[in-house]
Amino acid sequence: MSKPGTPVICLETEERFESMKEAMERYGVSSGSLNSALTYGYSTGGYHFYRADEPKPDDSFFKSGNGGKGSSKKRPVICLETGVQFESAIAALKWLDSGKTNNRGNMRTALISGSALLGYHFYYADEPKPPNSHFKRAVYCEDLDTVFTSLETCADAIGFNGSISDLADKVANGTVVKGHRLGFVGVDRKPLPNGDKWKPAVTDAKRENMQVGRVSSPLYGKQSVKPARLQEWLGTICEYENAVSKPATERITGIRPDGAIFLRRQIAATELLSLADRYGEYLDFADEAADFAPFLYDASFSTRGAYLKVSSPGNIYREAGFPQDPFFYTYNHLRDALVPKGFYPSTVRVRHPHGLTLEQIKRLPELLERPVVLMDSDRDDTMIAVLADVDEDGFPLIAALRPGGNAVSEGRSVGGTIVCSFYGKPENYFRFKMQQMPQRVLYQDIEKGRELDARAKLQLFGGNIASPDLDRRIIRPPECIVKLRADTPQMETHGRETSRVRRESRDMASGRAALDAGRRAETARVTERHIDSNLK
C-alpha cells in the first residue's frame, strides 16, 4: 500500500501530484481506490495513476474498469466542429487552450456527456462516432433567423413531437423540419440535393402573424435573438472583460483559438442585452482612462476643470434618491488615483497618490453598480460607497459621491454626481465608522461583503452591520440627498416637508426616535405606579 505522501502522476492528463492527497482532492477519489489504481492498474474516477518516484509501467499494466480487457493507453480524440484528430485528449487541450490545468478534468466530461468545451465538442476516435443527439449544441433556424440553445428548446418552438435523436439527425442532414430549415451553430450545413440553396420556408402571412403576436416566435432563453445581434453583444461584453483583465472565473465570454467569441455559460437574452448595454457604457469610461494614462506625468496635459463621464446611476442610487444625472470623475482625481503611493512627481501636481492600477480604474463603473456598503460621510453633502475591491496594500476601496454637482461634458456645463475620490482605506476606518457608528449605514450587500472580506482578509463586511433588514435595501435617504432636496430651489415652497424629512432622517441616523420612544414608555410606567400607590 502506498503512503499518503507518495507522489503520483495521472496517465491521461500527465498531471503530477506531490502526494496522493492532492490527487484525491483534484479528482474526488478515495484513498482505497487510488491505492488499487496504483497497485493493480485499475482506473479510479475514470483515470489511471502510477507512482512518480518509480519507472512508468508498460501499457499492459493499465486496465479498463475493474480489470476488463483492453489497454488504456492514450486514446485519440476527434473535434466534431473541425474534424481534426488528435493523438490524445491532452493534445487536443494544448491546441484548444494551451493545456491549462483547470480544463483537463472538463475534457473527460465533454467526451462522456457530449457537452461543449470552450465552444467545441469531442469524441473518442477509437469508438464509433456517437449519434448527433449525443452532442449538446445550439440550433440555428435559417428562415426565422433565430438561435435555440438546445435541440429540446428547438423542438418545443417549432412543434416537433418526435424523438430528440430523430430531430438531431434531421438537423445534421439539412432536412426541412415542420417547414423550417435548421442547422447546428458552428457547423457547416451539408448542401441540399441538386445544388438547391437554402430558402425561407415561412410565408409572408405567417411572418406578419408572428410580428403582431398571433404566433409565438422561437426563443433564445426567453427572447428572440438574431445571430448578428448576438455576436455584437458578445463582442461588447468580451471587449470590456478584456479591458479590465477579468479572471476566467468571472467572465461571461471566452475566445476560441480561431478568434471566435463564445458564451461560457447559458444566459437569458434579456440579461445578455442588458449586460451589453452596461458594458458598452463602461467601455467609454475605460477608453478615456486608458487614453489619459500615457500623459500621467505630462504637465502639458491640462486636467483643470476636466471630467470623465463614469456611468449613469444604477438602481441602488436611484432608490436612494440620487438624481438621474450621470456620475463624473475629474482628471485630477484620476491622476491622484494612478500615481504610486508615496510618490510625488516634480512634473505634475499630485495631492494624494493612491497607487491604483489602470484596470481597477476601468472597473470603477462596475464596482459602483453594486457596492458593498453605502453610508453617510462626515460631510453632509457626500455619501461613501464601499466597493468590492482592494488596493495594493489590501485596503478596501471607497468612493466619495457628491450629488447635485456640476461638470463640463462635451463643452457644456451639466449636472451630475461627482466621484470626489476613489482609493483604499485601512481597517480601523471601517471599524470606527460602521461598528461604533452603525447608524451611518443605510445600505449593505452581505454577499458582496463576504467577497470583500476574503480579498481584504477581514471579518467585517460579511455580517449584519446595523440591522438584519439592511441586506440590499435602502433603509433611509442619505444625508446628502436630504440636504440636496432642501437646497434645491424648486423645493423651497415645500420647506416644512423638507424640514420634516431632514429631521426624520437625522432621527433615524442618531437613534433619537428609539430613545424618545423609550423615554415616553418609561414616563408612562412611572406615572402608572404613582397612580396605583395613591389609590392604595
Side-chain angles (χ1 to χ4, degrees), residues 80 129-140 150-155 158 160-177 182-185 187 189-190 198:
L80 177 69
K129 180 181 177 181
N132 291 307
S133 58
H134 169 75
F135 302 102
K136 297 176 174 60
R137 291 178 283 178
V139 180
Y140 174 59
S150 65
L151 285 164
E152 288 78 8
T153 56
C154 177
I158 66 176
F160 182 77
N161 298 322
S163 67
I164 296 300
S165 179
D166 186 26
L167 178 60
D169 291 337
K170 292 181 182 296
V171 174
N173 295 328
T175 305
V176 175
V177 183
L182 309 171
F184 287 116
V185 174
V187 180
R189 288 165 296 206
K190 296 181 180 180
W198 291 82

Side-chain angles (χ1 to χ4, degrees), residues 409-431:
S409 177
E410 299 179 354
R412 60 189 181 89
S413 178
V414 296
T417 295
I418 309 302
V419 181
C420 301
S421 57
F422 175 42
Y423 62 104
K425 276 285 193 179
E427 177 183 359
N428 57 359
Y429 168 85
F430 299 102
R431 293 202 178 276

Side-chain angles (χ1 to χ4, degrees), residues 334-372:
L334 175 59
R335 175 170 278 158
D336 283 358
L338 286 172
V339 172
K341 289 184 178 182
F343 177 60
Y344 293 88
S346 59
T347 55
V348 293
R349 183 185 180 188
V350 176
R351 293 182 178 180
H352 306 288
H354 300 311
L356 302 184
T357 65
L358 182 58
E359 285 72 21
Q360 285 178 314
I361 295 294
K362 291 177 179 179
R363 289 193 68 182
L364 174 58
E366 184 182 4
L367 293 172
L368 283 171
E369 181 183 2
R370 190 175 171 186
V372 177

Side-chain angles (χ1 to χ4, degrees), residues 358-532:
L358 182 58
E359 285 72 21
Q360 285 178 314
I361 295 294
K362 291 177 179 179
R363 289 193 68 182
L364 174 58
E366 184 182 4
L367 293 172
L368 283 171
E369 181 183 2
R370 190 175 171 186
V372 177
V373 170
L374 297 178
M375 61 183 179
D376 288 325
S377 171
D378 293 332
R379 295 178 50 131
D380 62 358
D381 64 346
T382 306
M383 184 183 73
I384 301 297
V386 182
L387 309 178
D389 202 357
V390 297
D391 66 6
E392 61 182 10
D393 294 323
F395 295 161
L397 298 181
I398 68 166
L401 310 176
R402 188 177 72 242
N406 290 302
V408 178
S409 177
E410 299 179 354
R412 60 189 181 89
S413 178
V414 296
T417 295
I418 309 302
V419 181
C420 301
S421 57
F422 175 42
Y423 62 104
K425 276 285 193 179
E427 177 183 359
N428 57 359
Y429 168 85
F430 299 102
R431 293 202 178 276
F432 174 76
K433 295 291 185 183
M434 294 190 299
Q435 289 192 344
Q436 296 185 24
M437 305 182 70
Q439 64 272 17
R440 287 179 177 266
V441 179
L442 55 104
Y443 172 88
Q444 178 190 14
D445 187 328
I446 294 179
E447 180 184 351
K448 280 291 180 181
R450 288 169 182 161
E451 293 179 16
L452 181 56
D453 277 348
R455 291 187 177 186
K457 298 180 180 179
L458 300 173
Q459 293 183 353
L460 182 60
F461 302 99
N464 292 320
I465 295 174
S467 167
D469 300 328
L470 196 64
D471 190 28
R472 302 193 70 175
R473 291 181 57 193
I474 299 290
I475 61 172
R476 60 176 176 83
E479 278 288 310
C480 60
I481 295 300
V482 175
K483 181 179 186 302
L484 180 64
R485 290 172 178 172
D487 296 342
T488 302
Q490 290 86 345
M491 299 185 67
E492 288 181 356
T493 57
H494 303 286
R496 292 185 179 179
E497 180 65 18
T498 301
S499 299
R500 184 187 64 79
V501 172
R502 172 177 284 190
R503 185 172 60 255
E504 289 181 357
S505 179
R506 287 176 175 173
D507 286 346
M508 292 178 68
S510 63
R512 187 181 302 164
L515 181 61
D516 289 345
R519 286 174 177 172
R520 287 195 295 269
E522 181 62 24
T523 301
R525 286 194 295 270
V526 171
T527 303
E528 184 178 357
R529 288 198 300 269
H530 180 70
I531 293 174
D532 290 343

